[in-house]
Amino acid sequence: MTMDTDIIVVGGGPAGLAFARQFKNSRLHVTVIEKAPLESLQNPAYDGREIALTHLSREIMQKLGMWQRIPENEIYRLRDAKVYNGTSDYTLHFPEPKKARGGATDRLGNLISNHNIRRAAYEEVAQMNNVDLRCGVGVKKVETSTNQAIVELENGDKLTAKLLVAADSRFSQTRRQLGIAADMHDFGRTVIVFRTKHTISNQHTANECFFYGRTLALLPLEEHLTNCVITIKNTHAHELLDMTPEQLAQEAQKMLKGKLGNMESAGTVHSYPLVGVHAQKFYSTRSALIGDAAVGMHPVTAHGYNLGLESTDILAKLILQAEQKGRDIGEVGLLEMYNVKHQLHTRPLYHGTNAMVTFFTTDHAPVKLLRDATLRVSNNLPPLKKLISKQLTG
C-alpha cells in the first residue's frame, strides 16, 4: 500500500522531536503532529523545569547533535547528591564518581533547562528534509490495522503510515485510543518550582530533603543559583502558591534553616500536578509509545527525560536495522523487542521509585524512625550505594 509517510509521531515535545532526529540521513520519512503552534517549538518558554541528565543521555544527545546546541554556560554540573530525612542533619551522600579523580568525569550528571532541550531538538529536526512538522493542529482520532496506521486530524486531514508513535505526554490520548492500559499513580501532591539566588555556595550538590508534610529538592545551577522544587499536598498547595516569588524564596530559606544563606527570587514560579504513569505495554498493532506516553516518572529520581531519550534510542535503532534489511518497520516482532528492552529498565525503576516516595512521605511516628534508620543503613552499605549511584548516573 502507498502511505503518506513512513512514521507518524504524535507529539512534538522533546521526546517526539528527539525520536524524529534519530532518522537523519535515513530513507524513512517522518511526520510529527504537534497541537501547539510552530512558534512554541522554535522559541519554547521557560517552564521552571531543570532536567537532570545522565551520562548516557549526554551521549545520546551528542549523537543527535542536540548537546552541541546548548549554550555551554547553561549546562550545569551536578557534582554529587545528598538525601535528608525530616529535621535531622544526617545525610545519605552520593559523592562524585571515583573516576573523577582520574580526570574522566567530575560529576554525577548535568542539569539543563527543559526549554533549552526543546529548542535544541527543534533546531536539529528543522534541518531535516525527511521530517515534516505539522504544527497548530491536534489529533482527532487514531486507528491501526495489520496494514497501516491512520491518523485523522482536527482539521479533517487524514494521514497513513507504516508505524504510529505516541509521544503526547503522560496523559496521552493516543495511548488511550490505542487501547493500551496504564498504571496511573496520583500522589495527591503539587510540584512548585522556582529559581533562587543565595549567598552561600551550593557546591554543585543536589539535595533531596524529605521534611514532614513537604519535600524540598535543590538542583544546583550556578554556584549561587539553585532551582527549588517543593512538593506539597494538594490541600495545602495554596499556602505556597498564594505567596509572592520573594515570599516563596524566604519560605525555602526557612525550610533550609539558612543553609544557603540569604535567599531571594530569581525568576518565575511554576506548578504541576504530581502524577506517575507506566503503560502496561509499550506497543500495539503498528504503534509504539515513547517518552512520557510510555513512562511518566516521579521527579525524585530525576529520570523522566532520561528514560524518554532511552526509549527513542532503543526504538529508532530497531527500526533503522529493519529498514536496512528491507523488513517491515511496523512488524509485531520488532515492537515486542522494543517493549521487552525498555520494560526491563523502566518497570522496576518506576515501581521502586513510587515505593520509596511513599515510604519517605509517610509521617507516622514508627515510619519516621524507620526512614532515619534506612538512610543510615544505606550509607554504610557500599554495594547498595553503588547500585543507586549507577541508577542516578545511567
Side-chain angles (χ1 to χ4, degrees), residues 160-373:
T160 57
K162 299 173 185 175
L163 178 66
L164 168 66
V165 175
D168 52 340
S169 86
R170 65 188 65 196
F171 305 108
S172 171
Q173 288 301 308
T174 306
R175 183 183 65 223
R176 289 181 60 84
Q177 289 190 37
L178 290 170
I180 300 176
D183 170 68
M184 187 168 289
H185 189 110
D186 190 332
F187 291 90
R189 292 175 178 256
T190 298
V191 179
I192 301 169
V193 289
F194 53 97
R195 283 184 172 187
T196 60
K197 292 180 181 177
H198 41 84
T199 54
I200 296 177
S201 170
N202 56 33
Q203 298 182 331
H204 300 286
T205 298
N207 290 276
E208 187 74 40
C209 309
F210 289 102
F211 297 124
Y212 303 132
R214 299 177 181 178
T215 298
L216 172 62
L218 303 172
L219 304 178
L221 304 176
E222 297 169 3
E223 193 173 351
H224 295 276
L225 179 68
T226 294
N227 185 255
C228 297
V229 185
I230 299 177
T231 61
I232 187 170
K233 289 182 179 179
N234 292 339
T235 52
H236 295 284
H238 66 92
E239 298 171 6
L240 299 180
L241 292 175
D242 289 345
M243 294 181 178
T244 65
E246 284 301 333
Q247 289 172 330
L248 202 51
Q250 290 299 304
E251 184 70 12
Q253 179 178 324
K254 180 180 175 182
M255 292 170 69
L256 289 169
K257 299 178 181 177
K259 289 178 182 176
L260 289 179
N262 294 323
M263 300 176 71
E264 62 181 58
S265 172
T268 49
V269 178
H270 305 262
S271 64
Y272 302 95
L274 189 50
V275 179
V277 176
H278 195 291
Q280 287 188 5
K281 62 178 185 175
F282 297 153
Y283 77 102
S284 186
T285 305
R286 290 203 174 272
S287 57
L289 311 179
I290 63 171
D292 279 3
V295 185
M297 291 287 293
H298 187 290
V300 68
T301 53
H303 263 311
Y305 189 55
N306 294 300
L307 293 180
L309 274 175
E310 286 182 42
S311 70
T312 72
D313 199 54
I314 295 169
L315 181 57
K317 283 178 179 176
L318 291 171
I319 292 171
L320 288 168
Q321 289 170 5
E323 192 270 336
Q324 288 167 3
K325 295 176 182 178
R327 289 169 43 204
D328 181 359
I329 65 169
E331 68 174 3
V332 67
L334 182 157
L335 300 176
E336 284 178 344
M337 191 176 299
Y338 162 65
N339 181 64
V340 170
K341 285 188 172 185
H342 200 36
Q343 291 265 5
L344 279 173
H345 189 196
T346 63
R347 189 164 288 279
L349 192 59
Y350 173 80
H351 289 291
T353 297
N354 289 356
M356 182 196 73
V357 169
T358 299
F359 176 62
F360 276 98
T361 54
T362 299
D363 295 334
H364 302 309
V367 180
K368 287 182 181 180
L369 292 174
L370 192 56
R371 283 165 52 173
D372 187 62

